[in-house]
Amino acid sequence: MALPPLVEPAAELSIDEIRRYSRHLIIPDVGMDGQKRLKNAKVLAVGAGGLGSPTLLYLAAAGVGTLGIIDFDTVDESNLQRQIIHGVSDIGTPKAESAARSIAEVNPLVNVVIHNTALDRDNVKEIFSQYDLIVDGTDNFATRYMVNDAAVLLGKPYVWGSIYRFDGQASVFWEEHGPCYRCLYPEPPPPGMVPSCAEGGVLGVLCASIGSIQVNEAIKLITGIGEPLVGRLMVYDALEMEYRKIKVRKDPNCALCGENPTVTDLLEDYEDFCGAVSEEAQEAVTGSTITARELKEWQDSGKDLFLVDVREPAEWEINRIPGAVLIPKGEILSGEALAKFPQDRQIVLHCKSGVRSAEALAAIKVAGFKDAVHVQGGIVSWVNTVDPSLPSY
C-alpha cells in the first residue's frame, strides 16, 4: 500500500545540489519535491558493517540530509571482504569514524552524526528520537528486538535487513501501518539454532543486494513513492537468484503491538531474552570452563587431553589448535559422535568463541562425561593470547 511521505520537503535546493541530484530530479516520481524531502530527512543507520556499508553510501549519494551512524566496533581485516565503506587504512579505527570519512568523499553535502557507542536500553530511545527513520543492519537477535521495541514505542518506522551465507531478508516495520518484527518473529530462535555471520559466514556481495533493498525502501518512505515493504517480507536466495515475497500480517496477539500488549517498555536485558546460550549450556559451563592459556599449560605439562574442535570443516581449514580433532557440534548433539569420546582422557571442547562448545559440553555431560570442559573464548582467545601467528577470521 502507498503511504504518505515521511518528512516535509526542505525549503530549497542549492545550485550544487541541483547539479548533483539531476538524475533524480528528472524522474517524475521523485522530482524537485522528492529530492527536497530527502534533503530534509534524518536517517539513522544501526551498524556500519556489512549492511550498513551499502546503506550509508547510497543514502549519502541519494542526498539524505542527515545521516546518523551508530557503531562501537573497530575495523578488522576480516571486515573488508564485505564492508565496502572501509579500507585497509581504516583497520583498527572506529567503524563509525571510518564510515563518516567515506561518506564525506561520496557526498560532502551530507551532515553526518557519529554515535561511537554501543546501542543499549539506556540510550536507544534518546538516539532514535533524533531521527525520522531507522535502518537496521545489526547481526544479532538481542539488538534486533531492542531496535524493534524502541521503534514501536517511539512510533518510528524502520527498515530491517538480515543476511546469512547466500540468503537475505528485508522488510519495513511500522506499527502505525502494519506489523512489527515481533509479529513476524514473536520469540527469538533457540540458542545456537541460528549461527551468526561470524560463525556461519556470508557471501560479501549479498550485503550489497540486501543493503540496496533497504536503501530503496528508505527512499520510498521518505518521498512517499511506490509501495514500501510494509506487511511484506522479501526473501532472496543468491544461489538460485530468486526473490520471493511473503505476506506478514499484524498479529492481534503480538506482545508489543497487539490488542493487549504485555511489553509496554524496553526489556531489562535483551541478551537474557534472546539467550546467547541455553540454560543447559549455562549450567554445563559452570565450573567446567578453562582459558586458552590454561589449555596451553595443560598441553605443555603433558596432560592426556582429548581436544575436540566442534566447528565446521570449512572453519577447520582456516585455522586449528595443535592436537585437536574435528567433531562438528551437530554430530555431538545428534549423538552420532558420542562413541568417539574416550572415558579415560580429559575431554576439552572448543569452537570459535565459546558458544557452540558450551552447547556441545551440555550434551557431553548428559552422556556421562562429567569431567569435560570447554575453552572460554574458543580459538579466538587462543589466537589472541597464545598463538597470534594463526590466521583469524
Side-chain angles (χ1 to χ4, degrees):
M1 61 178 178
L3 296 174
L6 185 59
V7 299
E8 292 297 316
E12 61 181 5
L13 297 180
S14 68
I15 296 298
D16 288 341
E17 289 169 332
I18 291 174
R19 283 198 295 260
R20 177 179 284 270
Y21 308 127
S22 61
R23 297 303 187 272
H24 275 177
L25 299 179
I26 59 178
I27 302 174
D29 290 343
V30 180
M32 188 70 74
D33 181 78
Q35 194 63 49
K36 286 179 179 179
R37 294 183 191 276
L38 289 169
K39 178 179 179 178
N40 212 26
K42 298 178 180 179
V43 179
L44 175 69
V46 183
L51 291 176
S53 291
T55 293
L56 287 164
L57 290 174
Y58 271 105
L59 286 174
V64 169
T66 298
L67 275 178
I69 311 169
I70 180 162
D71 199 310
F72 68 95
D73 200 5
T74 57
V75 179
D76 180 81
E77 188 176 11
S78 66
N79 301 148
L80 304 183
Q81 162 258 8
R82 64 202 177 281
Q83 298 180 19
I84 58 170
I85 205 167
H86 311 296
V88 173
S89 63
D90 299 313
I91 292 175
T93 63
K95 287 184 179 179
E97 296 177 11
S98 168
R101 288 195 294 269
S102 296
I103 290 170
E105 286 293 314
V106 170
N107 189 350
L109 303 179
V110 173
N111 174 40
V112 179
V113 181
I114 295 175
H115 304 276
N116 192 6
T117 185
L119 194 67
D120 57 39
R121 76 177 310 275
D122 294 325
N123 63 21
V124 62
K125 284 185 179 180
E126 188 273 329
I127 292 175
F128 278 19
S129 65
Q130 303 172 41
Y131 298 91
D132 303 304
L133 177 66
I134 314 299
V135 181
D136 181 20
T138 55
D139 63 356
N140 66 87
F141 288 101
T143 308
R144 287 174 186 166
Y145 278 96
M146 181 174 62
V147 167
N148 177 77
D149 294 358
V152 170
L153 293 169
L154 293 172
K156 302 279 184 180
Y158 78 100
V159 185
W160 170 77
S162 174
I163 50 176
Y164 177 68
R165 290 186 175 170
F166 300 99
D167 301 317
Q169 299 179 0
S171 189
V172 172
F173 297 111
W174 195 354
E175 185 270 337
E176 182 180 343
H177 297 284
C180 78
Y181 182 75
R182 285 180 181 263
C183 295
L184 177 62
Y185 298 115
E187 298 287 341
M193 180 69 71
V194 182
S196 67
C197 290
E199 294 178 336
V202 62
L203 185 69
V205 74
L206 181 67
C207 302
S209 300
I210 299 304
S212 64
I213 291 175
Q214 290 183 281
V215 175
N216 189 60
E217 293 305 301
I219 291 173
K220 287 157 60 180
L221 289 167
I222 292 166
T223 59
I225 62 176
E227 295 191 11
L229 283 174
V230 175
R232 295 180 294 163
L233 175 68
M234 180 68 76
V235 180
Y236 174 55
D237 182 336
L239 287 181
E240 297 296 328
M241 190 47 65
E242 180 180 75
Y243 287 92
R244 294 183 295 117
K245 283 189 291 188
I246 301 171
K247 286 187 176 180
V248 181
R249 302 189 184 279
K250 194 176 183 69
D251 183 2
N253 298 313
C254 176
L256 182 68
C257 72
E259 297 172 359
N260 298 293
T262 56
V263 178
T264 58
D265 200 354
L266 297 174
L267 303 183
E268 288 295 328
D269 191 336
Y270 282 89
E271 292 287 350
D272 184 61
F273 170 67
C274 292
V277 295
S278 66
E279 292 184 8
E280 293 80 7
Q282 292 179 29
E283 293 176 3
V285 301
T286 302
S288 299
T289 299
I290 64 171
T291 66
R293 288 189 181 280
E294 286 175 314
L295 171 60
K296 184 65 167 64
E297 290 171 0
W298 282 7
Q299 289 179 324
D300 291 344
S301 69
K303 191 167 184 174
D304 191 14
L305 304 178
F306 187 65
L307 178 60
V308 179
D309 186 332
V310 306
R311 298 175 300 160
E312 296 301 309
E315 296 174 274
W316 171 262
E317 292 297 324
I318 298 172
N319 59 14
R320 65 193 71 171
I321 296 176
V325 296
L326 177 66
I327 306 179
K329 184 190 76 171
E331 296 180 16
I332 297 173
L333 299 187
S334 69
E336 175 185 349
L338 291 178
K340 299 178 181 179
F341 287 82
Q343 296 283 350
D344 57 348
R345 300 172 67 186
Q346 173 65 62
I347 296 171
V348 181
L349 308 180
H350 85 81
C351 61
K352 179 180 180 180
S353 62
V355 175
R356 285 173 286 177
S357 59
E359 299 290 345
L361 182 64
I364 288 293
K365 288 199 168 189
V366 169
F369 299 93
K370 302 298 183 182
D371 294 329
V373 299
H374 91 129
V375 180
Q376 183 180 28
I379 201 165
V380 171
S381 179
W382 179 271
V383 171
N384 289 338
T385 64
V386 177
D387 187 4
S389 67
L390 284 179
S392 60
Y393 67 102

